[in-house]
Amino acid sequence: MNSKLSAVLPDLSPWHSSRDFRLLWGQGLITTFGSFMALVALPLQIKDLTGSPLAVGAMGAVELVPLVVFGLYGGALADAVDRRKVILLTEAGLGLLAGVLLVNAMLPEPMLWPLYVVAAGVAALAGLQRPALDSLLARIVPHDQLAAAAALNAFRWQAGAIAGPALAGLVVAYAGNVPAYATTVACFAVSVAMCLRLAPVPPAENADKPSLRGIAEGARYAWSRPVLLGTYAVDMAAMFFAFPNTIFPFLADELDADWSLGLMYAAGSVGSVLVSLTSGWVSRMQRHGLLVVFGAAGWGLAIAAAGWIPNVWLVLVCLGLAGAGDMLSGLGRSTIWNQTIPDELRGRLAGIEVLSYSVGPQLGQVRAGAMAGWTGARPAVWTGGLACVATVGLFATALPRLLTYDARTDEDAQRRRTAHAAATGGVQETTDTGPAVTPGDRLPSA
């Protein structure tokens, strides 16, 4: 293969080196596809039942408390139990909740309140699952392949995020909510079957039971690391001010383009996947803090343009550019987390990371819905984008170590690299028959 082309294409080393990485990659693709089918159908169903942007945005408020509580507890749980069991049981629970949406949609007159109950339940189960799922990556992928694994996972997620919303928009428009929810249920059933094939991932022998003290220990560590604080703060600001997904149905109405709803949900993922497909250079980059800041600022600028421009095709282009910026920022965050967080705190820090990249969107839904009800969808989008850019700039100024982060010189990154080499005897490869599981070897991913 041409050397210049191979330098740009994704690094497939994690795929070749770890059987469990391949299983998780495939399971995640299927789950993402099914989840995005429901992600489009659910807010559109609430819109049809209420006609209120605030009612749609209220999903974020309903999801917030379960996400915070169970996200933090899930981080402590991931350090104390077999992560495979946590992933398997929560995946089955998410499938059952999708079944509730399906049954409700089949009623002659679907009810509103079950939609909010399911949204809260999904947030709780996702909060429990994500720390176990995220902290598993470094147990099954060699340390020097973490950036490549993050890029491959991002590509997987975005592939489902493109196909799911685009197809869901057509399915809901022409066939209704029932086929969309039925697809979600089927996807989770396949995902559970794949999770059953994962190798067990037992906790360290001296692992503490989940406790408030353990959660507080993880929080103190995060607070003491300006680089980590910067990644959390920048991402939460970007999502709080510039996450317009919940009001896409109303934006499509204002642009007289109801047909574009599915494309709006998918456009950001198109931009993200283009970055993933050309992510080979990420494995060689060392200044990941720059990706975090400039990617988040680019996201905000593109979202502002999407709210300002009246042409729906240009809006879709802007949403694609926003997705590209978000992907760059996400790759930077995940790599910094994987490179710097110590083994014994991986699960608990993964719980904090769940809040970092999930609470912002939930609050952002509430902000966007409330403001859209007051000013209309388009002003709610462009003002949020500008606020995102300004806030990201303030955080980058207040936490300069994020911008200057360099994996070659950062003390935490060097300490983590040394610890991994000691735990593996200097070996940087796993076998093809399963993960090389080392007690205490935990690290979160994006």
Side-chain angles (χ1 to χ4, degrees):
M1 181 181 294
N2 183 281
S3 59
K4 292 183 178 179
L5 182 60
S6 62
V8 174
L9 292 177
D11 182 356
L12 300 180
S13 299
W15 185 283
H16 297 307
S17 65
S18 173
R19 167 185 172 273
D20 274 21
F21 179 79
R22 294 193 295 273
L23 277 173
L24 282 176
W25 197 94
Q27 169 268 333
L29 178 64
I30 294 169
T31 298
T32 300
F33 176 80
S35 297
F36 270 96
M37 291 288 287
L39 180 67
V40 173
L42 185 57
L44 191 58
Q45 188 176 17
I46 295 177
K47 173 182 177 288
D48 291 340
L49 291 173
T50 67
S52 168
L54 183 59
V56 177
M59 279 200 311
V62 168
E63 294 166 344
L64 180 60
V65 172
L67 186 62
V68 171
V69 173
F70 288 93
L72 290 173
Y73 180 76
L77 189 68
D79 280 341
V81 301
D82 185 342
R83 293 169 190 170
R84 173 182 174 274
K85 291 183 180 179
V86 175
I87 295 169
L88 179 61
L89 292 176
T90 51
E91 198 77 356
L94 290 168
L96 290 176
L97 290 177
V100 173
L101 291 177
L102 175 60
V103 171
N104 183 61
M106 295 173 66
L107 297 175
E109 295 185 5
M111 297 177 287
L112 179 63
W113 65 265
L115 305 183
Y116 291 111
V117 171
V118 169
V122 168
L125 289 175
L128 284 174
Q129 183 189 79
R130 286 304 296 266
L133 191 62
D134 290 355
S135 61
L136 186 61
L137 186 63
R139 298 287 296 273
I140 62 176
V141 174
H143 183 72
D144 60 348
Q145 296 177 9
L146 290 173
L152 290 174
N153 279 343
F155 172 75
R156 173 209 70 197
W157 190 88
Q158 297 299 342
I162 292 171
L167 182 58
L170 295 175
V171 170
V172 173
Y174 293 103
N177 295 315
V178 172
Y181 293 141
T183 302
T184 302
V185 172
C187 287
F188 274 107
V190 174
S191 174
V192 169
M194 295 183 72
C195 288
L196 287 169
R197 299 181 59 197
L198 292 171
V201 187
E205 294 182 0
N206 59 347
D208 295 329
K209 294 181 179 180
S211 65
L212 291 176
R213 180 180 178 182
I215 294 172
E217 182 183 359
R220 283 194 299 270
Y221 179 86
W223 185 259
S224 69
R225 296 301 190 275
V227 174
L228 288 180
L229 277 182
T231 64
Y232 302 147
V234 166
D235 187 47
M236 290 188 70
M239 295 297 102
F240 175 74
F241 288 112
F243 189 77
N245 292 34
T246 191
I247 58 173
F248 278 166
F250 301 93
L251 180 61
D253 285 346
E254 290 188 15
L255 295 171
D256 295 322
D258 292 343
W259 54 267
S260 68
L261 179 59
L263 296 178
M264 286 185 181
Y265 282 108
S269 298
V270 172
S272 296
V273 81
L274 290 176
V275 172
S276 298
L277 287 173
T278 57
S279 62
W281 56 274
V282 176
S283 298
R284 298 180 297 277
M285 186 176 182
Q286 306 297 330
R287 300 287 299 278
H288 302 103
L290 294 176
L291 288 181
V292 175
V293 173
F294 288 105
W299 156 272
L301 282 175
I303 291 295
W308 185 264
I309 295 172
N311 182 283
V312 66
W313 291 106
L314 292 179
V315 168
L316 293 173
V317 171
C318 290
L319 293 176
L321 293 174
D326 186 46
M327 174 58 66
L328 289 175
S329 185
L331 288 176
R333 291 194 310 272
S334 65
T335 304
I336 289 174
W337 293 341
N338 281 321
Q339 287 178 340
T340 63
I341 296 174
D343 299 344
E344 65 274 12
L345 294 174
R346 285 179 183 168
R348 280 163 284 180
L349 267 293
I352 295 175
E353 288 154 17
V354 167
L355 305 187
S356 165
Y357 53 69
S358 299
V359 170
Q362 309 311 320
L363 293 176
Q365 290 185 77
V366 178
R367 184 210 67 82
M371 191 164 183
W374 176 39
T375 66
R378 290 180 60 200
V381 174
W382 70 258
T383 56
L386 293 180
C388 164
V389 175
T391 308
V392 167
L394 287 175
F395 282 136
T397 303
L399 298 166
R401 288 188 61 182
L402 177 61
L403 282 174
T404 60
Y405 172 84
D406 191 319
R408 295 164 297 190
T409 58
D410 183 82
E411 293 182 0
D412 289 326
Q414 290 180 331
R415 190 177 300 114
R416 170 69 192 103
R417 187 181 300 110
T418 301
H420 183 275
T424 60
V427 177
Q428 291 292 318
E429 297 179 354
T430 56
T431 67
D432 193 53
T433 58
V437 178
T438 305
D441 187 21
R442 305 181 179 87
L443 192 64
S445 70

